[in-house]
């Protein structure tokens, strides 16, 4: 009897390096080589750590045991209180902590299973994470001016089409407020999303890590959990509101009821096999932060004001250059569209898509941005994303001054960066050949 033929090894999922991290690493390499660059690609927010949080992290340095898989009780209770103050029904027993909201989102895709609906445009990692989880990402456009949430009518059509083709969409990922657009969906859109999710039996995974960075308090974004509480998982972290990207801490709130309990069991099993538990000293500091004492609330409010002033100043430069910009209502991102300049960019620079445009801006001017294609747009799209969180300074002293200044736009290191953005965009859209702008700007 002959031996069976060998089984060919399956190819690994086709996943590339995160576009934001890859761009940031390239700019960092050039900066270390002595080039003057402008970091506007990364989602890093360049602000210093609140002193009270440093103290609590240091004070918990001797906590070196693993701890509960789903997170320490104090942290889970603090997270539940945080969401309760925002009007959500939060049970500490249904909170799961993790080393950042990013791995939690991936773990949730594994726990829910099936294929994943993602908005277009959307954060660069949703589609990649779905692919890594063995799922099929299903892209659905967002309504005009309402980033982060797939159009509910188009969502219904896409899910029906995919199921008719034998596929298995089980969840939809949304972002409120949105990265990359700096906008967010209306309550009416979220209400329609909730109806669609119920009718289609989808789990809603709502990434709300930017919810504290809505500029106008009266304009606070709603959560899908307010409209479909029985099937919405909400995630957040301290990476954006408190600029603690390097601390890697996040939390997921699961819904009450049978679905939430089932998801909690599966999610706990998944995370137990991936990261076991979140760093205990970080959990101690995070519990304090999620408790929102006055100094934390004041720090977040100051950061929100700083983001608003700087991102809107940058938006003015893009608009002056002729790009279309939607009003930024939250975060430190904007998503200008250079479609009105397509003919000029093609003729003067050979630019025919967002990747061409961002490559030109990086190569010629040392300005790092991301193309819309990184967020799911077609290659010919001339949308790009600009992130302003790295414009606040290079030292703790500069960043602290930016956070506390009555008018941060008057600080010389911020003003020089804003001026540089304006100079580059003006040079880009000149009707004649581009000039040789000096590749430098004042650092302080």
């Amino acid at each position: 009897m002959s031996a069976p033929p060998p089984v060919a090894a399956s190819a690994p999922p086709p996943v590339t390096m995160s576009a934001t991290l890859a761009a940031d690493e390239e700019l960092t390499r050039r900066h270390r080589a002595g080039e003057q660059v402008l970091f506007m690609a990364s989602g890093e927010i360049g602000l210093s750590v609140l002193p009270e949080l440093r103290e609590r992290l240091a004070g918990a340095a001797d906590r070196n045991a693993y701890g509960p898989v789903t997170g320490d009780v104090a942290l889970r209770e603090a997270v539940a209180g945080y969401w309760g103050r925002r009007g959500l029904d939060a049970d500490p027993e249904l909170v799961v902590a993790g080393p950042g909201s990013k791995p939690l989102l991936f773990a949730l895709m594994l726990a829910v299973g099936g294929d994943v609906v993602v908005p277009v445009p959307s954060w660069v990692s949703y589609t990649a994470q779905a692919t890594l989880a063995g799922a099929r990402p299903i892209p659905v456009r967002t309504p005009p001016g309402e980033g982060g949430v797939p159009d509910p009518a188009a969502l219904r059509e896409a899910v029906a089409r995919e199921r008719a083709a034998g596929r298995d969409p089980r969840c939809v990922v949304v972002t409120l407020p949105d990265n990359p657009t700096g906008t967010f969906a209306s309550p009416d859109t979220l209400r329609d999303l909730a109806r669609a999710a119920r009718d289609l039996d989808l789990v809603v995974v709502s990434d709300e890590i930017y919810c504290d960075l809505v500029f106008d308090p009266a304009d606070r974004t709603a959560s899908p959990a307010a409209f479909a509480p029985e099937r919405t998982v909400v995630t957040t972290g301290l990476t954006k509101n408190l600029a603690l990207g390097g601390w890697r801490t996040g939390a997921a709130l699961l819904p009450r009821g049978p679905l939430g309990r089932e998801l909690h069991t599966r999610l706990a099993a998944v995370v137990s096999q991936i990261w076991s538990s979140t760093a205990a000293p970080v959990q101690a500091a995070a519990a304090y932060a999620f408790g929102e004492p006055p100094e934390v609330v004041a720090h977040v409010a100051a950061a929100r004001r700083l983001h608003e002033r700087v991102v809107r100043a940058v938006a003015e430069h893009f608009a002056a250059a002729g790009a279309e910009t939607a009003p930024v209502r939250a975060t430190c991102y904007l998503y200008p569209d250079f479609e009105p300049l397509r003919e000029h960019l093609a003729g003067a620079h050979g630019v025919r898509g967002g990747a061409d445009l961002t490559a030109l801006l990086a190569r010629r001017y040392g300005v790092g941005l991301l193309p819309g294609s990184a967020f799911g747009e077609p290659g010919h799209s001339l949308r790009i994303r600009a992130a302003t969180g790295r414009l606040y300074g290079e030292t703790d002293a500069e960043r602290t001054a930016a956070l506390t200044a009555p008018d941060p736009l008057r600080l010389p290191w911020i003003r020089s960066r804003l001026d540089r953005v304006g100079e580059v965009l003006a040079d880009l859209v000149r009707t004649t050949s581009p000039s040789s702008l000096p590749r430098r700007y004042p650092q302080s």
Side-chain angles (χ1 to χ4, degrees), residues 297-325:
V297 173
H299 189 83
V300 173
R304 189 165 52 238
R305 289 191 297 269
L306 175 61
H307 298 326
E308 180 180 11
R309 292 300 307 278
V310 175
V311 77
R312 288 185 169 167
V314 172
E316 290 176 3
H317 285 304
F318 279 101
E324 294 177 345
T325 57

Side-chain angles (χ1 to χ4, degrees), residues 121-215:
S122 65
W123 179 50
V124 299
S125 289
Y126 296 145
T127 293
Q129 287 188 340
T131 302
L132 279 171
R136 177 185 176 90
I138 303 167
V140 177
R141 292 293 315 186
T142 60
E146 298 187 48
V149 174
D151 179 270
L155 169 67
R156 289 178 182 271
E157 294 174 2
V159 170
R161 182 177 63 250
E162 295 295 316
R163 286 177 174 166
R167 301 186 182 99
D168 186 24
R170 296 189 202 171
C171 80
V172 53
V173 179
V174 303
T175 318
L176 290 151
D178 179 44
N179 170 14
T181 68
T183 65
F184 48 86
S186 68
D188 285 344
T189 296
L190 293 176
R191 192 173 291 109
D192 290 344
L193 172 76
R195 292 193 191 100
R198 284 197 185 97
D199 292 345
L200 299 167
D201 193 23
L202 297 176
V203 175
V204 180
V205 177
S206 186
D207 179 355
E208 300 185 20
I209 198 166
Y210 297 100
C211 78
D212 293 335
L213 299 184
V214 177
F215 300 149

Side-chain angles (χ1 to χ4, degrees), residues 238-328:
L238 303 178
T239 299
K240 306 304 177 182
N241 62 350
L242 287 168
L244 296 175
W247 286 26
R248 308 312 304 143
T249 180
L253 171 64
L254 282 73
R256 293 183 187 268
L259 174 64
R261 291 193 296 272
E262 182 182 353
L263 267 180
H264 184 273
T265 298
R266 293 207 300 268
L267 182 60
V270 169
V271 305
S272 75
Q273 301 291 359
I274 299 177
W275 61 76
S276 299
S277 64
T278 306
V282 174
Q283 288 194 69
Y288 179 80
F290 278 114
E292 298 185 289
E295 62 270 21
V296 168
V297 173
H299 189 83
V300 173
R304 189 165 52 238
R305 289 191 297 269
L306 175 61
H307 298 326
E308 180 180 11
R309 292 300 307 278
V310 175
V311 77
R312 288 185 169 167
V314 172
E316 290 176 3
H317 285 304
F318 279 101
E324 294 177 345
T325 57
V328 181

Side-chain angles (χ1 to χ4, degrees), residues 40-192:
M40 298 182 69
S42 169
E44 179 83 45
I45 293 178
L47 292 174
S48 302
V49 178
L50 187 66
E52 288 83 355
L53 294 182
R54 288 201 302 266
E55 293 168 5
R56 276 153 183 83
L57 183 70
D62 61 346
R63 294 180 54 183
N64 63 340
Y66 281 116
V69 168
T70 57
D72 290 344
V73 172
L75 175 56
R76 290 188 282 108
E77 289 179 344
V79 170
Y82 170 91
W83 284 122
R85 289 187 292 277
R86 286 153 180 79
L88 300 186
D89 183 15
D91 181 352
E93 294 299 315
L94 292 171
V95 171
V96 176
S101 65
K102 188 173 184 176
L104 273 169
L105 287 162
F106 178 56
L108 278 163
M109 291 183 190
L110 290 169
V112 174
D115 297 325
V116 182
V117 178
V118 296
V120 176
S122 65
W123 179 50
V124 299
S125 289
Y126 296 145
T127 293
Q129 287 188 340
T131 302
L132 279 171
R136 177 185 176 90
I138 303 167
V140 177
R141 292 293 315 186
T142 60
E146 298 187 48
V149 174
D151 179 270
L155 169 67
R156 289 178 182 271
E157 294 174 2
V159 170
R161 182 177 63 250
E162 295 295 316
R163 286 177 174 166
R167 301 186 182 99
D168 186 24
R170 296 189 202 171
C171 80
V172 53
V173 179
V174 303
T175 318
L176 290 151
D178 179 44
N179 170 14
T181 68
T183 65
F184 48 86
S186 68
D188 285 344
T189 296
L190 293 176
R191 192 173 291 109
D192 290 344

